Amino acid sequence: MAQARYNALNSFLKEKFGERTLKICIDGGFTCPNRDGTKGNGGCIFCSERGSGEHIKNKDISTQITEHLASYRGKRANKFIAYFQNFSNTYDSVESLKSKYDSALKFEKIVALAVATRPDCITKEIAELLCLYKKSHYVYVELGLQTANDDCGKLLNRGFDSKDFENAVKILNAYGIDVVAHIMVGLPGETLDDLKSTVEFINKQNLSGIKIHSTYVVKNTLLESLYKSNQYTPLALDDYIKAVVYILSISRPKL
């Protein structure tokens, strides 16, 4: 069998848990400091009204998981990851976070906790809480970066910079929590050199993986306005594929 050219998440999870392991996407009822006025309003220019979770039903956490496991999707595997997806899933008090995470992890088939969040929403107290769950579950954080180009970050109305990302990674590293970086291809005004700089920045961090997103236009976002006024053109599929191949070719081997 030919050796894989990169380390795929599915293969990693199968090796870790001994069988196919899938995500259950959860809406934990969070918001974002870039929406509630703490850092800004309106969110990032590409972010949807539901914080990239339009497909998730707006129900309590236990109900979301119960219904998922009872559906055809629950028959596709025996083990699942509770993936808190919408908005910034560490943006709350530690007490509230614990209550929400506990609601998901009480299910026997849940073997891991994955939390998507912003780097400016990571503190030592939150890392300590996440670390507690490592006793019984695999825990990792999906940390939004999008780009290491802080000028582009301002254009995105991101509300944090590369230093915030570095600091969050260091905090999570100190508690032995795996970190996956989110990056985006095809951002407004970004060049191939910018993309290279982002990967070089990631290569210097102690990360466990990267998630590569295409920049797509969602309704009712500022990016949609830029698209409709011909100020933004999304990448063609072939160009996106070339960009992903390029990222994989210059990423650290362990990623």
Side-chain angles (χ1 to χ4, degrees):
M1 182 180 295
Q3 185 176 359
R5 299 287 185 91
Y6 63 95
N7 302 316
L9 177 62
N10 285 343
S11 300
F12 168 79
L13 292 174
K14 190 171 183 178
E15 181 177 348
K16 188 171 189 66
F17 295 110
E19 60 184 286
R20 188 185 195 193
T21 305
L22 301 177
K23 284 183 176 180
I24 299 177
C25 297
I26 298 169
D27 181 350
F30 293 94
T31 183
C32 174
N34 202 18
R35 285 180 177 267
D36 68 4
T38 302
K39 285 289 185 73
N41 294 285
C44 298
I45 67 171
F46 54 80
C47 191
S48 65
E49 293 177 322
R50 292 285 310 279
S52 302
E54 276 69 15
H55 62 289
I56 305 174
K57 296 179 180 179
N58 187 19
K59 298 181 179 180
D60 68 83
I61 294 168
S62 293
T63 300
Q64 290 177 56
I65 296 177
T66 298
E67 291 185 351
H68 184 104
L69 294 176
S71 73
Y72 73 93
R73 295 172 296 174
K75 314 304 178 186
R76 297 174 63 220
N78 296 311
K79 296 179 180 180
F80 293 87
I81 300 168
Y83 176 44
F84 284 81
Q85 180 179 6
N86 298 51
F87 296 117
S88 302
N89 293 273
T90 57
Y91 188 48
D92 207 339
S93 68
V94 171
E95 293 75 19
S96 180
L97 292 174
K98 185 178 186 305
S99 176
K100 291 179 179 182
Y101 300 156
D102 286 351
S103 294
L105 299 182
K106 68 183 181 181
F107 292 84
E108 185 178 350
K109 288 188 175 183
I110 301 295
V111 296
L113 169 66
V115 179
T117 192
R118 293 164 54 92
D120 55 351
C121 292
I122 292 292
T123 64
K124 290 182 179 180
E125 292 74 21
I126 289 170
E128 287 174 356
L129 172 64
L130 292 172
C131 189
L132 293 176
Y133 293 109
K134 290 175 57 182
K135 298 174 183 177
S136 56
H137 295 77
Y138 173 53
V139 178
Y140 67 98
V141 171
E142 295 195 1
L143 204 58
L145 173 64
Q146 292 83 50
T147 175
N149 181 343
D150 288 335
D151 288 334
C152 181
K154 291 178 182 177
L155 176 62
L156 298 177
N157 192 40
R158 190 175 58 177
F160 63 84
D161 59 25
S162 302
K163 290 292 184 183
D164 292 319
F165 184 89
E166 286 182 310
N167 183 58
V169 172
K170 288 178 181 177
I171 292 172
L172 293 167
N173 286 167
Y175 288 87
I177 298 168
D178 285 352
V179 183
V180 175
H182 285 210
I183 63 173
M184 296 178 68
V185 174
L187 290 168
E190 284 245 289
T191 65
L192 186 62
D193 284 341
D194 291 323
L195 185 59
K196 180 181 180 182
S197 296
T198 293
V199 178
E200 290 175 343
F201 173 81
I202 283 176
N203 284 341
K204 296 176 183 177
Q205 313 301 316
N206 183 18
L207 302 174
S208 298
I210 56 174
K211 179 184 281 189
I212 306 169
H213 296 268
S214 61
T215 303
Y216 56 90
V217 179
V218 181
K219 287 184 178 181
N220 302 318
T221 62
L222 182 55
L223 189 60
E224 182 194 25
S225 299
L226 295 176
Y227 171 71
K228 287 185 173 180
S229 61
N230 296 316
Q231 297 180 68
Y232 173 69
T233 302
L235 282 183
L237 177 59
D238 286 348
D239 291 330
Y240 172 69
I241 292 172
K242 290 176 183 177
V244 171
V245 171
Y246 177 68
I247 291 169
L248 294 176
S249 72
I250 63 174
S251 296
R252 280 192 297 110
K254 289 187 178 180
L255 290 177

